[in-house]
Amino acid sequence: MKLHEYQAKDILARHGVAVQRGLVAFSVEEAVEAARQIQQESGKDLFVVKAQIHAGGRGKGGGVKLARGLEAVREVAGKILGMKLKTHQTGPEGQLVRSVLITEAVDIAREYYLGVTLDRQRSMNVIMASTEGGVEIETVAAETPEKILKVWVDPLTGLSPYQARQLAFGLGFEGQAFKDATRFIAALYRAYVESDASLAEINPLALTEQGQVLALDAKITLDDNALFRHKDLAAMRDPYEEDPLELEAAEYSLNYIKLDGNVGCMVNGAGLAMATMDIIKLAGGEPANFLDVGGNASAETVEAGFRIILKDPNVRAILVNIFGGIVRCDRVARGIVEAARKVEINVPLIVRLQGTNAEEGQAILQESGLTIETAILLKEAAEKVTRALGQQATA
Ligand code: GDP
Ligand code: MN
């Protein structure tokens, strides 16, 4: 689960990471009030108004603006709130801005990059740091990888003080800023571990003209599988930022991820779902989604699955691929027939049932009077998908 910048900064601040002072606002009035409070605490008159959406690159897209004085905050917040902000991460239609973070503006002497994530290959957390902050780290990684310092942390032993010093030294910090930077790195790592994050990223980390080490931006992605033990963090979910189909799927405990292709698929088991997506590609299609209905494919879950798949306007065929292990194929077939009667399926439907009672399942589908193409072999199913797509292309 992704978080907004203001939420990420709250978490970081709680763990002792130095972040720029700021307050979130959901209306222009709240934005002005936030700036007034910050002014009272800091005595400063320059603010940054920052669009809160789950995407990076907001600065370039016009979602991060400096404002001097409360009236300027009013004007800028008025422009940013309600705008459809387009960045390289939002997709072409952009993302509606519903809140802004008002921060005190700091004078930046240097910008750095600092991030913690999981290195699956090494089974360790990795802290990455670079003097090339403020720009997209992907570009740095692609063009000048030698400018990214990496330190791997064994989750069993945790971060050693020398590792934090190594990074701060590598970034060129000196004197008090060196001490602050090592403390910053240790606190960031603690926040990452204690909140069960899969990513905690600061870009830019700033060294201010006054010598402070501060997070100007923050991005945290939480591991969904650990959310059950962080009720306070789970409550930070912003449904407006989530795909509506994924939200609906979650209500039925379906494991659904929307993709950009044209063949919807419904499968039981994550491994089989991955294999089915490969088959769709081999057949010349592109998967429209990943959908694992789990080990217990009932009529109700199958029906919900069809409804969700069909809400995606790109879907031109549906492939159901169920392996009857614990669940019997005849039961699944009855579920499909029941669901197909309730949900209008207006694209070719190809069903492959294999495993326990596969023949009985196929017979049920064939006798149902519904236009369902059945298959037992994977190859057969793939050919039928190809044909279904081909027929539409020439129609
Ligand atoms: P992003 O574009 O979505 O990554 O948003 P950021 O929070 O990183 O802001 C974009 C840019 O705005 C940063 O890279 C900074 O250069 C600039 N910025 C953010 N806060 C301040 C600030 O307090 N003072 C100044 N001068 N620039 C800032
Ligand atoms: Mn940034």
Side-chain angles (χ1 to χ4, degrees):
M1 179 176 107
K2 288 185 182 173
L3 297 176
H4 284 299
E5 176 193 1
Y6 78 91
Q7 297 167 324
K9 282 179 166 173
D10 274 354
I11 296 174
L12 294 175
R14 265 187 263 153
H15 287 88
V17 180
V19 300
Q20 191 183 19
R21 198 192 307 260
L23 289 167
V24 69
F26 293 85
S27 67
V28 173
E29 280 316 312
E30 279 180 27
V32 175
E33 188 45 42
R36 201 191 313 276
Q37 268 191 44
I38 293 167
Q39 195 177 39
Q40 272 169 9
E41 289 167 23
S42 70
K44 290 201 292 189
D45 202 33
L46 190 59
F47 307 94
V48 193
V49 181
K50 313 182 78 177
Q52 297 299 288
I53 58 168
H54 285 187
R58 297 163 301 161
K60 274 190 199 153
V64 178
K65 293 252 189 284
L66 285 169
R68 186 172 294 282
L70 299 183
E71 278 319 300
V73 169
R74 184 185 299 280
E75 192 191 321
V76 174
K79 281 190 186 139
I80 294 180
L81 279 167
M83 85 186 273
K84 278 228 162 179
L85 182 54
K86 290 190 199 103
T87 81
H88 67 287
Q89 288 181 354
T90 57
E93 67 286 354
Q95 179 68 26
L96 181 66
V97 180
R98 297 170 186 272
S99 58
V100 285
L101 176 64
I102 310 296
T103 71
E104 74 173 295
V106 301
D107 305 319
I108 304 172
R110 282 212 67 158
E111 293 185 320
Y112 304 86
Y113 170 92
L114 188 65
V116 191
T117 190
L118 177 64
D119 182 337
R120 290 174 195 276
Q121 252 157 11
R122 295 209 190 190
S123 306
M124 283 198 263
N125 292 316
V126 59
I127 307 181
M128 290 176 287
S130 178
T131 50
E132 308 303 297
V135 293
E136 279 155 44
I137 197 66
E138 291 80 4
T139 314
V140 183
E143 289 168 12
T144 48
E146 70 283 0
K147 290 193 172 161
I148 301 179
L149 309 170
K150 290 184 181 176
V151 159
W152 283 270
V153 184
D154 189 322
L156 281 180
T157 50
L159 178 71
S160 302
Y162 84 89
Q163 292 181 302
R165 287 198 297 270
Q166 193 182 333
L167 286 163
F169 181 78
L171 291 175
F173 283 106
E174 289 171 349
Q176 185 58 40
F178 175 84
K179 287 186 193 154
D180 292 344
T182 52
R183 214 167 290 143
F184 187 106
I185 293 163
L188 177 67
Y189 186 78
R190 213 164 41 234
Y192 166 87
V193 170
E194 284 175 14
S195 55
D196 284 313
S198 55
L199 175 75
E201 190 180 67
I202 312 294
N203 191 19
L205 164 70
L207 175 65
T208 68
E209 294 288 356
Q210 292 74 28
Q212 287 171 289
V213 176
L214 273 184
L216 297 198
D217 191 8
K219 180 173 168 183
I220 290 184
T221 306
L222 299 170
D223 181 349
D224 288 334
N225 295 315
L227 275 180
F228 73 94
R229 55 185 189 193
H230 301 284
K231 298 276 179 284
D232 53 334
L233 304 183
M236 291 181 171
R237 184 183 294 280
D238 180 351
Y240 290 115
E241 292 281 343
E242 313 248 334
D243 186 287
L245 295 182
E246 289 182 12
L247 278 183
E248 190 178 338
E251 276 174 38
Y252 291 91
S253 308
L254 296 172
N255 203 343
Y256 171 88
I257 293 158
K258 162 120 179 52
L259 301 168
D260 298 327
N262 51 9
V263 181
C265 50
M266 183 158 24
V267 190
N268 64 339
L272 189 58
M274 301 293 278
T276 305
M277 288 160 64
D278 284 346
I279 290 163
I280 290 170
K281 283 202 168 220
L282 280 176
E286 282 289 329
N289 62 274
F290 170 98
L291 173 56
D292 173 11
V293 295
N296 216 340
S298 68
E300 200 200 2
T301 49
V302 171
E303 183 190 327
F306 278 132
R307 248 189 297 114
I308 289 163
I309 289 176
L310 287 165
K311 276 188 191 158
D312 175 355
N314 296 334
V315 168
R316 288 167 49 205
I318 298 176
L319 173 59
V320 177
N321 191 8
I322 301 277
F323 181 78
I326 298 169
V327 59
R328 299 187 332 254
C329 290
D330 55 320
R331 222 193 110 198
V332 175
R334 280 203 191 86
I336 292 172
V337 172
E338 235 178 89
R341 292 223 164 94
K342 284 197 208 153
V343 186
E344 197 199 337
I345 301 173
N346 45 13
V347 294
L349 173 61
I350 298 121
V351 180
R352 172 188 181 250
L353 297 173
Q354 184 60 285
T356 314
N357 294 356
E359 274 89 12
E360 286 92 324
Q362 259 208 329
I364 290 168
L365 294 178
Q366 272 156 4
E367 287 155 20
S368 70
L370 296 162
T371 17
I372 300 175
E373 294 253 28
T374 60
I376 288 199
L377 296 177
L378 271 183
K379 193 164 158 281
E380 247 182 298
E383 281 162 8
K384 289 185 173 173
V385 169
T386 310
R387 218 174 307 140
L389 292 174
Q391 275 164 5
Q392 288 174 20
T394 53

